[in-house]
Amino acid sequence: QVQLVESGGGLVQPGGSLRLSCAASGSVFSTSLMGWYRQAPGKERELVAAITSGQSTNYADSVKGRFTISRDNAEKMVYLQMNSLKPEDTAVYYCKSSNYRGHYWGHGTQVTVSS
C-alpha cells in the first residue's frame, strides 16, 4: 500500500514562490513514476509535472520554465518548486504515484495565487 501526503500549499501573491512536498510510504517508491497534478474549480484534473525513477522530467506547457519537479528516493519525497506564480495556477495540487501495484493519490494541498 502506498500513502501520499502533500504539504506546502497556501496563499501567495502573483510573482511569488511556493514549494510543495509529497511524503510517500511504501517499499516501491524508488521505482515509481511520481507526478504532480492540479484541479481548479470547474476544471478537470491536469498533469503539472512528472518525474521517472531515472530522474527524467516532463512538464505541462503552462508551467515550463517556472516549475521544477524533483525527488529524493532515500527520503521518499517528491517536491514541486513553483516560481513566478500566476492567478491561473490557483488549484488543489495532488501528488500521484504509479508503479506495478497501481496508481495512488494524495488528498491534495490548496494553492491560491491572489493579491
Side-chain angles (χ1 to χ4, degrees):
Q1 187 72 13
V2 175
Q3 292 185 327
L4 304 170
V5 179
E6 303 96 335
S7 61
L11 173 64
V12 63
Q13 292 186 342
S17 298
L18 282 175
R19 187 194 195 204
L20 304 184
S21 299
C22 173
S25 66
S27 60
V28 297
F29 177 84
S30 63
T31 60
S32 299
L33 171 67
M34 301 299 298
W36 284 99
Y37 288 72
R38 67 186 180 188
Q39 188 166 18
K43 295 187 177 181
E44 293 186 354
R45 193 172 297 188
E46 63 176 359
L47 174 68
V48 175
I51 185 167
T52 69
S53 58
Q55 305 283 352
S56 294
T57 58
N58 183 48
Y59 296 92
D61 288 343
S62 59
V63 307
K64 282 181 180 177
R66 300 189 298 123
F67 291 10
T68 302
I69 188 171
S70 61
R71 65 190 292 165
D72 183 334
N73 287 338
E75 297 295 327
K76 296 183 181 180
M77 296 291 295
V78 180
Y79 305 99
L80 186 67
Q81 178 66 43
M82 305 186 295
N83 299 327
S84 302
L85 282 162
K86 304 175 181 180
E88 51 263 43
D89 295 318
T90 295
V92 178
Y93 284 71
Y94 298 90
C95 180
K96 181 183 179 183
S97 173
S98 300
N99 55 58
Y100 72 93
R101 295 179 178 175
H103 304 282
Y104 304 89
W105 293 90
H107 292 295
T109 184
Q110 176 71 46
V111 172
T112 302
V113 185
S114 175
S115 54

